[in-house]
Amino acid sequence: MLRVCDAALVPGDAGLKVDMVGVGPVAVFRYADAYYVTNDRCTHGGASLSEGRIIGDEVECPFHMGAFNFRTGAVTARPCIRPLKTYPVTVIDGVIFITMPTGTPSGRHAT
Ligand code: FES
């Protein structure tokens, strides 16, 4: 697992951008007392989704108003077409961790 951040840092009404070595920028979201981690970069045009508007369990991209469900990565509004990458999350003692798929550079070194 890779440490992302303290859960207390994640606001309830916005995403939190975290630059992770070996992974890149991720966006952390809180919804219904659970935490979700996705790639921060919008699959449409590269906007930072942590700067997007939160609507329930969706994030609206600040560039062209496309949207994703941050729990599943599914596209919920065009012009986005490609889904957003999501990461399995574990919270231990108030710290958020993600699990990388095996075979990825960061996954190989996961502990
Ligand atoms: S960059 Fe996100 S919708 Fe265009």
Side-chain angles (χ1 to χ4, degrees), residues 36 51 80 84 107:
Y36 301 90
E51 297 174 8
C80 302
L84 188 61

Side-chain angles (χ1 to χ4, degrees), residues 42-47 49 61-68 78-80:
C42 178
T43 62
H44 177 248
L49 292 172
C61 179
F63 277 11
H64 311 111
M65 311 311 170
F68 302 90
R78 293 172 81 85
C80 302

Side-chain angles (χ1 to χ4, degrees), residues 29 31-32 34 36-38 57-58 68-74 86-87:
F29 301 99
Y31 177 71
Y36 301 90
V37 178
T38 72
D57 60 355
E58 297 181 11
F68 302 90
N69 181 307
F70 55 72
R71 296 193 297 162
T72 65
T86 61
Y87 297 91

Side-chain angles (χ1 to χ4, degrees), residues 7 10 14-15 18 23 26 29 32 41 44-45 55 62-63 67 83 87 91 93 98 100-103 106:
V10 184
V18 179
V23 179
V26 298
F29 301 99
R41 186 177 174 145
H44 177 248
I55 307 163
F63 277 11
Y87 297 91
V91 180
D93 293 335
I98 57 173
M100 300 298 292
T102 55
S106 295

